Amino acid sequence: MKLEHYDLFIPFYSSTYTSKFLLGKYEQKEITQAKTKSYQVSSSFMYHLQHGQLYFKQAQASPIEIKPVLLFYGYVQMLKACILTTNPNYPENSQVLAHGVTTRKRKKATYRFLEDEVKVQKNGLYSLFLDKMFHMKHLEGEKYQMVSLLLQIADMHELFLTLQNKKVSIKGSGNVKVNEIEIPSAILDLYHMTSNRFEQYLESLNPSYKGVKVIEQRQNLIIKFKKFPNKLHSFPFLFNTKEEIFIFTERQKLSDGSLPELATHFLLLYNLSMICRYEAEWWGDLIHTFDGVDYPFIAQYVNIVQNKIPSLIYSYLLG
């Protein structure tokens, strides 16, 4: 029988297990007083995780009108648990308690969600978790458009094909045991590259792909990695909820998809939660009139994310 996502975390609801788990994380990072801090932090870690799951469980039973708020705040709680595995002193000041992103406060009459943007601020949870969890620095003032963020979610690609007649990606297959991904060799024509140039392209996008080898074999490319791509940050490869692998049909610039998937979800859910809290009229009209194409994208995304985020968080915690 398949476990529900909120059962994945059951082992963490033991202070003995969680203290030992945190101790291992802190010793790995050579944090001083690791044993004392792992004991002190274990309760906070467990409560953040539990509160996050309660929000997600409630979201699954709630109408779409309020789902984004529940999902965003549940996600924030889970992220705080993740940060505690790398920084036992969180939160160190009030600045890190802000969300760290902002959006347009007033929506125009012609507003469309897919065209909306969020902007990164200097301080807050967003920049903190990028730094602590993925060792990435963000650029203050950087903007991300909703349609660009949705394109980074492989589970959304079928809907792009249906609604916009846009084939966003092609499917590959992976073999974790031998650190290989196999994709159709047609990608070389789509990218206007040789296999050698494709190797260089992959290395330029992701430091963990250094030393990658691309071998042409009949109709496919065999891509050999030193270490199999981490689904939490695998650009330009994308993993869907079923762990299937995709690559974009169009060559992507680093700025188009360099974010880990967890960062993409943060930006999308932040904006959706702000809209359904502060743009009640537009949000109500969207849900009840089915105007334009925004609603299918939002509804599909919300359905996907309520299962996918707990799975990604679990993967992060287990390393």
Side-chain angles (χ1 to χ4, degrees):
M1 184 176 75
K2 186 180 178 182
L3 286 173
E4 293 292 336
H5 280 300
Y6 46 83
D7 285 335
L8 290 172
F9 302 100
I10 279 181
F12 291 109
Y13 300 135
S14 156
S15 57
T16 304
Y17 175 84
T18 296
S19 294
K20 188 177 177 183
F21 167 78
L22 291 172
L23 176 61
K25 295 284 187 183
Y26 296 163
E27 285 180 339
Q28 191 177 12
K29 294 184 179 297
E30 299 181 346
I31 291 172
T32 56
Q33 296 181 301
K35 191 165 187 177
T36 302
K37 288 179 179 177
S38 65
Y39 176 76
Q40 292 172 340
V41 169
S42 61
S43 292
S44 180
F45 172 88
M46 288 188 288
Y47 284 133
H48 280 309
L49 206 54
Q50 185 183 50
H51 289 169
Q53 291 176 259
L54 287 172
Y55 273 114
F56 267 73
K57 195 172 181 182
Q58 196 63 47
Q60 289 187 324
S62 299
I64 193 169
E65 282 86 345
I66 60 172
K67 271 184 193 284
V69 176
L70 295 168
L71 291 171
F72 178 66
Y73 282 105
Y75 183 31
V76 164
Q77 293 293 328
M78 291 181 181
L79 283 176
K80 289 177 179 178
C82 291
I83 291 169
L84 285 172
T85 67
T86 71
N87 179 15
N89 301 315
Y90 173 81
E92 291 162 296
N93 56 61
S94 58
Q95 287 183 326
V96 300
L97 297 175
H99 292 137
V101 290
T102 186
T103 185
R104 257 188 245 119
K105 294 294 182 274
R106 297 293 301 170
K107 309 302 183 190
K108 297 177 182 177
T110 56
Y111 173 78
R112 289 290 178 263
F113 175 75
L114 293 182
E115 297 166 8
D116 199 7
E117 291 179 334
V118 289
K119 185 166 75 171
V120 177
Q121 296 178 312
K122 184 177 180 181
N123 298 308
L125 180 61
Y126 178 76
S127 58
L128 184 74
F129 89 76
L130 271 185
D131 179 27
K132 297 299 181 184
M133 293 170 61
F134 297 100
H135 312 294
M136 289 179 66
K137 299 295 182 186
H138 76 291
L139 293 175
E140 182 186 355
E142 196 161 6
K143 295 179 180 179
Y144 294 93
Q145 194 177 41
M146 296 300 101
V147 66
S148 297
L149 294 171
L150 287 169
L151 282 168
Q152 305 305 318
I153 313 298
D155 307 83
M156 298 296 297
H157 290 183
E158 194 173 327
L159 193 61
F160 275 100
L161 180 61
T162 302
L163 292 180
Q164 298 186 351
N165 198 28
K166 185 175 182 180
K167 187 172 174 59
V168 176
S169 61
I170 52 178
K171 189 176 177 182
S173 59
N175 188 332
V176 181
K177 291 180 180 177
V178 291
N179 298 328
E180 288 181 1
I181 286 178
E182 188 172 330
I183 59 174
S185 56
I187 199 72
L188 296 179
D189 291 330
L190 293 171
Y191 284 22
H192 307 292
M193 289 182 179
T194 63
S195 56
N196 286 341
R197 176 69 189 93
F198 188 59
E199 287 176 353
Q200 294 167 11
Y201 170 71
L202 292 175
E203 286 188 338
S204 72
L205 293 179
N206 198 317
S208 67
Y209 298 160
K210 194 165 180 63
V212 68
K213 296 296 178 188
V214 176
I215 301 165
E216 295 187 61
Q217 194 177 87
R218 299 188 182 90
Q219 302 300 311
N220 292 318
L221 295 183
I222 308 296
I223 306 170
K224 293 178 174 286
F225 301 89
K226 289 184 176 178
K227 187 179 180 183
F228 195 77
N230 178 353
K231 69 176 181 179
L232 295 169
H233 193 194
S234 56
F235 181 76
F237 302 99
L238 303 174
F239 289 77
N240 67 6
T241 309
K242 298 175 183 175
E243 304 280 314
E244 295 169 325
I245 299 170
F246 298 83
I247 187 168
F248 289 105
T249 52
E250 294 181 9
R251 194 189 326 185
Q252 303 285 300
K253 297 189 295 290
L254 185 59
S255 59
D256 290 341
S258 59
L259 292 177
E261 187 171 339
L262 285 172
T264 301
H265 290 307
F266 186 92
L267 297 174
L268 284 163
L269 285 178
Y270 167 79
N271 200 18
L272 282 171
S273 72
M274 292 293 284
I275 289 167
C276 74
R277 276 182 290 163
Y278 299 115
E279 300 294 336
E281 185 179 356
W282 185 87
W283 184 241
D285 285 346
L286 173 81
I287 292 166
H288 298 294
T289 65
F290 306 111
D291 183 35
V293 295
D294 282 342
Y295 181 78
F297 281 103
I298 292 171
Q300 175 83 331
Y301 173 71
V302 166
N303 285 336
I304 288 162
V305 85
Q306 59 193 8
N307 287 317
K308 195 171 190 184
I309 281 180
S311 175
L312 291 173
I313 292 289
Y314 180 75
S315 294
Y316 175 82
L317 291 174
L318 266 65

